[in-house]
């Protein structure tokens, strides 16, 4: 595909949803007029809504009214009541995809058309979800699998900080919505009761003069059960449903996540790095602890003493020197 065309990345949507509500009935003729669609298409969309779990009442005289909604992440459910300026204003939703990061990358690399900063790609299910270090990321239905596309005017020096920022955003969102304290395991695993509820994968595209785009991929175990995940990670994973004991509204989580993301991303743009790193440290489960980090080519031991402005972890080694580690995995 050499030219980006919105058609190639047509988001799944049910446009009629924007005109229906729980509060009042709307007549079919009015819907036809508003959406410039024939009655048969309106009926088809009502059917599609019902198949997606919406309970829609239809009355010959009064028209249609929503009785109840499922836990849906259709674009309207996310954008409705969203108060951000740009994060989440454009939503590409797919019931099933390979990986939202892959789709977001294709969109970012599309020539001839640039989607706005803050565009989201979200899906109910990923078939080839990507984790860190080339690992697979299990993404069964019920989770929140989304990617946010950014065009940061920053040198690559600060890219690690975007990942840390995203971890703070998720931790804040969970705390505000569910009053649950989370911990961040460096660099970007969000834990509840020592079990992973969210992972973040940041990818970027560069051109000669710097960064062209950044994709922040966020995977949250939400309404899925940890028993649906591969056996080897079941015990170390947890979902929001499991921790709260009830089904959560994913669209509500996504909306607050967008709001928090925009707030922190604006701080990043204003170079107010320390607000981000201080907040990150308040959630960290490694600062002040003796840990081992696998950097890919070696394992380094030391005490985690700080995070610097570019998201690097500062380790005080047994020889007394301070090492900066930009990427790696904490072993213990
Ligand atoms: C990790 O290994 O902890 C990072 C996991 C990141 C998963 C998310 S889900 C949405 C986005 N799309 C992907 O394929 N991966 C990220």
């Amino acid at each position: 595909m050499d030219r980006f065309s919105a058609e190639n990345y047509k988001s799944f949507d049910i446009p009629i949803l924007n005109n229906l509500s729980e509060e009042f009935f709307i007549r079919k003729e009015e819907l036809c007029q508003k959406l410039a669609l024939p009655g048969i298409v309106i009926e088809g969309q009502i059917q599609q809504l019902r198949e997606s779990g919406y309970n829609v009442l239809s009355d010959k005289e009064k028209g249609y009214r929503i009785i109840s909604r499922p836990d849906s992440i259709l674009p309207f459910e996310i954008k409705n009541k969203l108060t951000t300026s740009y994060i989440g204003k454009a939503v590409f939703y797919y019931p099933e995809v390979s990986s939202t990061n892959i789709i977001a990358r294709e969109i970012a690399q599309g020539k001839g058309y640039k989607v706005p900063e803050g565009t989201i790609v979200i899906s109910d299910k990923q078939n080839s979800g990507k984790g860190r270090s080339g690992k697979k990321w299990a993404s069964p239905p019920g989770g929140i699998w989304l990617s946010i596309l950014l065009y940061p005017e920053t040198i690559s020096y600060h890219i690690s900080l975007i990942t840390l920022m995203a971890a703070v955003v998720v931790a804040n969102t969970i705390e505000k919505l569910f009053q649950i304290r989370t911990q961040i395991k460096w660099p970007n695993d969000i834990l509840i009761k020592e079990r992973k509820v969210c992972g973040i994968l940041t990818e970027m595209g560069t051109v000669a003069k710097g960064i062209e785009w950044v994709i922040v991929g966020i995977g949250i175990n939400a309404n899925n059960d940890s028993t649906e995940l591969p056996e080897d990670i079941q015990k170390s994973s947890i979902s929001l449903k499991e921790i709260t004991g009830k089904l959560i509204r994913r669209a509500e989580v996504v909306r607050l996540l967008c709001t928090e993301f925009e707030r922190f991303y604006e701080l990043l743009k204003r170079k107010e790095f320390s607000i981000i790193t201080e907040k990150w440290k308040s959630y960290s489960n490694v600062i002040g602890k003796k840990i081992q980090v696998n950097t890919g080519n070696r394992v380094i031991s030391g005490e985690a003493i700080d995070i610097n402005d570019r998201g690097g972890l500062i380790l005080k080694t047994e020889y007394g020197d301070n090492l900066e580690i930009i990427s790696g995995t904490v072993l213990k």
Side-chain angles (χ1 to χ4, degrees):
M1 183 185 318
D2 40 298
R3 261 187 88 75
F4 177 84
S5 129
E7 278 305 304
N8 291 333
Y9 294 100
K10 211 162 175 4
S11 165
F12 179 87
D13 205 357
I14 309 178
I16 196 178
L17 189 55
N18 305 12
N19 293 283
L20 295 179
S21 97
E22 276 95 336
E23 276 88 55
F24 49 79
F25 278 96
I26 183 162
R27 290 176 49 244
K28 186 158 86 182
E29 296 70 35
E30 200 180 332
L31 286 170
C32 290
Q33 222 173 24
K34 275 194 163 166
L35 295 161
L37 290 171
I40 188 147
V41 176
I42 298 291
E43 282 161 24
Q45 288 192 18
I46 293 283
Q47 184 55 24
Q48 248 186 332
L49 280 177
R50 287 182 174 141
E51 280 163 14
S52 306
Y54 287 80
N55 186 354
V56 187
L57 188 67
S58 75
D59 181 285
K60 263 210 157 60
E61 303 280 298
K62 297 190 221 161
Y64 303 108
R65 185 161 72 90
I66 291 183
I67 300 292
S68 67
R69 293 165 190 267
D71 163 40
S72 157
I73 47 169
L74 278 167
F76 172 76
E77 298 289 359
I78 293 172
K79 291 195 274 184
N80 181 26
K81 297 190 216 147
L82 182 71
T83 53
T84 55
S85 303
Y86 55 97
I87 303 286
K89 282 295 196 195
V91 178
F92 286 75
Y93 162 76
Y94 306 93
E96 190 170 339
V97 282
S98 51
S99 146
T100 55
N101 268 32
I102 293 178
I103 304 293
R105 172 191 283 257
E106 285 171 4
I107 290 175
Q109 289 174 335
K111 293 183 183 66
Y113 179 83
K114 204 172 167 187
V115 296
E117 179 164 63
T119 294
I120 282 182
V121 180
I122 189 163
S123 181
D124 272 309
K125 179 174 187 278
Q126 298 186 119
N127 297 318
S128 314
K130 299 202 297 179
R132 291 179 68 225
S133 318
K135 288 194 188 139
K136 284 190 179 153
W137 179 262
S139 319
I144 297 173
W145 322 122
L146 73 85
S147 302
I148 304 176
L149 181 57
L150 305 171
Y151 306 117
E153 281 172 19
T154 172
I155 45 172
S156 57
Y157 190 82
H158 291 295
I159 287 305
S160 301
L161 198 55
I162 293 189
T163 306
L164 297 197
M165 181 204 90
V168 168
V169 164
V170 175
N172 262 3
T173 301
I174 294 176
E175 189 165 332
K176 282 190 178 174
L177 268 184
F178 307 108
Q179 290 76 51
I180 293 169
R181 188 73 188 163
T182 58
Q183 283 198 308
I184 304 175
K185 182 176 163 198
W186 185 82
N188 50 14
D189 287 353
I190 318 289
L191 311 177
I192 297 177
K193 296 189 174 158
E194 318 260 300
R195 293 166 74 177
K196 186 161 168 173
V197 69
C198 168
I200 297 165
L201 176 68
T202 307
E203 299 183 284
M204 64 173 163
T206 51
V207 282
K209 54 184 190 332
I211 294 168
E212 197 178 10
W213 49 262
V214 168
I215 289 160
V216 183
I218 301 175
I220 304 176
N221 291 314
N223 280 333
N224 53 309
D225 288 313
S226 45
T227 49
E228 294 167 273
L229 301 174
E231 225 176 299
D232 56 322
I233 58 164
Q234 284 183 9
K235 285 209 167 69
S236 57
S237 306
I238 196 158
S239 72
L240 293 174
K241 183 183 89 177
E242 288 166 332
I243 197 79
T244 58
K246 54 178 190 242
L247 280 175
I248 56 130
R249 290 214 160 263
R250 285 176 299 160
E252 195 183 352
V253 177
V254 175
R255 273 199 301 272
L256 186 58
L257 193 131
C258 289
T259 309
E260 290 290 297
F261 200 100
E262 190 166 292
R263 186 161 75 86
F264 278 96
Y265 188 49
E266 284 299 305
L267 291 175
L268 190 91
K269 284 186 188 166
R270 293 202 300 270
K271 302 200 181 340
E272 294 185 31
F273 304 132
S274 64
I275 302 184
I276 299 167
T277 51
E278 285 307 311
K279 193 79 189 156
W280 188 91
K281 281 193 268 182
S282 75
Y283 284 115
S284 165
N285 75 346
V286 296
I287 298 293
K289 286 201 184 136
K290 286 214 160 58
I291 57 170
Q292 286 191 335
V293 183
N294 185 346
T295 63
N297 46 18
R298 65 187 177 129
V299 174
I300 306 171
S301 305
E303 184 190 339
I305 56 168
D306 207 0
I307 282 286
N308 65 14
D309 272 2
R310 59 175 186 157
L313 179 69
I314 310 298
L315 268 198
K316 192 177 196 68
T317 69
E318 54 183 319
Y319 309 107
D321 45 352
N322 292 347
L323 279 186
E324 181 203 32
I325 304 176
I326 278 294
S327 75
T329 305
V330 176
L331 300 177
K332 61 174 189 183

